[in-house]
Amino acid sequence: MNATTTYTARAHTNIALIKYWGKKDEKLILPMNSSLSLTLDRFYTETSVMFDEQLKDDLFLLDGSKEKNDKISNFLEIVRQKANITAKAKIISKNHVPSTAGLASSASAYAALALAASKAAGLNLDKKELSRLARRGSGSACRSIYGGLVEWQEGIDDQTSFAHPIEMSRDFDIAMIALVISTDFKKISSRAGMKRVVETSPYYPAWVQNTAKDLRKLKQAISKNDFETFGEVSEENAMKMHALNMSAHPHFNYLEPDSIKAMKIVEKLRSQGVSCYYTLDAGPNVKVICRRKDIQAIVDRLSDSFGQEKVLVAGPGPAAHLI
Ligand code: DP6
């Protein structure tokens, strides 16, 4: 095999409403529980891949600068094995997330890489196989293969752990407002944080049981187009995840004082009749789930406290695709 054609893929980030927080198999990235997310239109990664036998090593350029990244080479090894090739690859990746947002994510990165690299290696994977492949790079990436609302069914092995889209009624009205609290790198990566929680939190078994219930409730709310229950269950699930972190040994916490301030603002707006709910991942940024008609009121209120440039509005985004 000489140099192959370059393939470029675009994949969007997703925000989990029922969180994935813990693995039952670290190598295969099999989660302890199923999760459910919304793929977002505003934030995405574009990645080009070309395999070339002349290359001595994989070459990875992220946003214009050369990076050394063993995780990416390990991931490409999986692709090479599947395609039965040995050539190294040139990977050019660009994150389309406002540079100050602190919202760049491994989900869009590995979903785009899975699609571009598998194509460039001559594989023609269907969506289920792509989702399984993306999962091997980063768990949450398996959900970014699809657009809209997506469930990652935990499965019991490599074959059975993948994502699939959730039917959303045409009038299911949802938007997300991201409030950027900090652009600092994570104190503890998701990977390290969830591992510590699984190993040390006395509440971990309760999380697994409860999250399965939350997922059922959320799916029921989606099918009934019941936005209030949808928001309530999402918010509660996120808080359970953050409570787990505080119960780990040594305990840790992603929230910053401004995260709490923003959460209080959302609660206040809610008490005034605006239907809005928050969720947070492995960082201090607060994401507010709302209906489209309420976007402006929420943006105005958050901008008053944090500045307009910190408030970013997103809607449901598309599946990963080649460009
Ligand atoms: C809090 O998918 O980044 O965003 O599989 O170890 O790469 P690895 O973890 P990652 O974890 C995401 C955690 C989360 C919740 C979620 O997206 O479900």
Side-chain angles (χ1 to χ4, degrees), residues 188-264:
I188 301 178
S189 69
S190 314
R191 192 156 291 188
M194 65 175 84
K195 182 170 158 64
R196 189 185 298 173
V197 158
V198 172
E199 286 168 358
T200 66
S201 169
Y203 304 143
Y204 199 74
W207 158 263
V208 175
Q209 276 175 17
N210 245 275
T211 296
K213 281 189 205 150
D214 285 349
L215 179 63
R216 277 199 295 277
K217 281 193 225 160
L218 196 81
K219 281 163 70 174
Q220 209 167 49
I222 294 167
S223 68
K224 289 187 183 156
N225 209 348
D226 173 357
F227 185 79
E228 276 65 36
T229 306
F230 177 86
E232 251 168 54
V233 174
S234 302
E235 186 174 294
E236 283 178 7
N237 187 261
M239 291 303 98
K240 286 173 200 163
M241 181 192 112
H242 288 273
L244 274 183
N245 302 339
M246 293 187 222
S247 70
H249 177 75
H251 64 83
F252 61 103
N253 188 349
Y254 292 112
L255 309 182
E256 294 291 336
D258 272 350
S259 316
I260 308 274
K261 185 174 161 189
M263 288 152 71
K264 299 277 174 210

Side-chain angles (χ1 to χ4, degrees), residues 59-97:
L59 180 67
F60 177 49
L61 289 158
L62 176 62
D63 294 330
S65 53
K66 210 167 142 181
E67 305 257 328
K68 172 101 187 86
N69 192 320
D70 291 340
K71 265 177 84 183
I72 292 202
S73 284
N74 292 341
F75 181 78
L76 288 169
E77 251 343 285
I78 299 172
V79 177
R80 281 189 276 262
Q81 271 174 22
K82 271 190 200 292
N84 205 11
I85 59 168
T86 52
K88 302 289 183 193
K90 182 173 178 188
I91 305 115
I92 302 173
S93 201
K94 187 162 171 23
N95 278 322
H96 292 260
V97 179

Side-chain angles (χ1 to χ4, degrees), residues 130-323:
L130 264 179
S131 176
R132 285 179 46 224
L133 175 61
R135 191 199 78 227
R136 302 290 301 274
S138 186
S140 53
C142 77
R143 298 184 309 236
S144 275
I145 296 298
Y146 295 96
L149 291 169
V150 183
E151 178 182 0
W152 173 11
Q153 62 170 55
E154 58 177 300
I156 50 166
D157 55 20
D158 180 41
Q159 297 292 327
T160 53
S161 185
F162 52 85
H164 59 88
I166 294 281
E167 204 54 52
M168 174 162 62
S169 105
R170 269 173 175 273
D171 40 325
F172 193 80
D173 176 9
I174 184 167
M176 199 211 70
I177 301 166
L179 173 68
V180 180
I181 303 279
S182 164
T183 57
D184 287 353
F185 278 103
K186 289 174 197 171
K187 286 175 279 189
I188 301 178
S189 69
S190 314
R191 192 156 291 188
M194 65 175 84
K195 182 170 158 64
R196 189 185 298 173
V197 158
V198 172
E199 286 168 358
T200 66
S201 169
Y203 304 143
Y204 199 74
W207 158 263
V208 175
Q209 276 175 17
N210 245 275
T211 296
K213 281 189 205 150
D214 285 349
L215 179 63
R216 277 199 295 277
K217 281 193 225 160
L218 196 81
K219 281 163 70 174
Q220 209 167 49
I222 294 167
S223 68
K224 289 187 183 156
N225 209 348
D226 173 357
F227 185 79
E228 276 65 36
T229 306
F230 177 86
E232 251 168 54
V233 174
S234 302
E235 186 174 294
E236 283 178 7
N237 187 261
M239 291 303 98
K240 286 173 200 163
M241 181 192 112
H242 288 273
L244 274 183
N245 302 339
M246 293 187 222
S247 70
H249 177 75
H251 64 83
F252 61 103
N253 188 349
Y254 292 112
L255 309 182
E256 294 291 336
D258 272 350
S259 316
I260 308 274
K261 185 174 161 189
M263 288 152 71
K264 299 277 174 210
I265 290 173
V266 173
E267 288 168 15
K268 178 90 185 284
L269 278 165
R270 199 153 70 211
S271 74
Q272 293 164 345
V274 183
S275 199
C276 52
Y277 303 86
Y278 49 77
T279 184
L280 296 90
D281 282 333
N285 301 325
V286 176
K287 286 99 173 184
V288 183
I289 309 153
C290 65
R291 290 201 182 96
R292 277 193 300 260
K293 69 174 174 56
D294 294 321
I295 291 175
Q296 203 53 52
I298 301 164
V299 167
D300 288 349
R301 184 63 195 83
L302 292 173
S303 301
D304 281 350
S305 296
F306 298 96
Q308 213 180 341
E309 71 289 352
K310 304 276 187 205
V311 184
L312 309 166
V313 180
H321 54 281
L322 290 171
I323 51 173

Side-chain angles (χ1 to χ4, degrees), residues 24-41:
K24 57 189 171 212
D25 185 318
E26 287 179 14
K27 184 161 181 288
L28 292 172
I29 311 202
L30 302 178
M32 286 284 202
N33 57 270
S34 299
S35 54
L36 196 149
S37 61
L38 176 70
T39 300
L40 301 172
D41 57 358

